[in-house]
Amino acid sequence: MKKRNDIYKNIGQKIKKYRKEKQLTQVEFAEKLDISISYLSKIEAENCNKSFSLDLLVNIANTLDIDIIRFFD
């Protein structure tokens, strides 16, 4: 079973990947999500140790126009 921090790290890396595919900067994406750039930066960081809510993950998936399940593949 994966550690909790590993799960957040993997999801954070996928968020970053899909954001870049949509050609959004962190600033643009944070604004669309109505979160701070520092929070988004921590979520996407290689050594992510920041937890986030399911509500935020749903919002991220909707903003990126992807199915939330893609974060768990």
Side-chain angles (χ1 to χ4, degrees):
M1 185 156 168
K2 285 186 176 181
K3 287 193 218 173
R4 185 174 150 244
N5 284 352
D6 289 342
I7 293 168
Y8 284 113
K9 180 179 169 183
N10 290 336
I11 292 171
Q13 291 306 295
K14 288 180 182 178
I15 291 169
K16 183 177 183 178
K17 172 187 173 241
Y18 294 127
R19 173 184 60 78
K20 286 185 169 191
E21 284 179 4
K22 295 287 185 180
Q23 299 180 338
L24 291 167
T25 67
Q26 281 188 328
V27 171
E28 292 167 333
F29 195 45
E31 286 175 358
K32 286 179 180 283
L33 296 171
D34 197 28
I35 62 173
S36 72
I37 180 67
S38 69
Y39 187 37
L40 178 60
S41 179
K42 288 175 184 170
I43 290 171
E44 289 187 350
E46 287 283 329
N47 58 349
C48 174
N49 61 356
K50 193 73 175 165
S51 62
F52 41 89
S53 70
L54 183 57
D55 273 351
L56 178 57
L57 195 57
V58 167
N59 192 12
I60 289 169
N62 288 340
T63 301
L64 292 171
D65 196 29
I66 61 172
D67 193 316
I68 195 170
I69 198 70
R70 291 175 72 183
F71 295 125
F72 301 97
D73 292 347

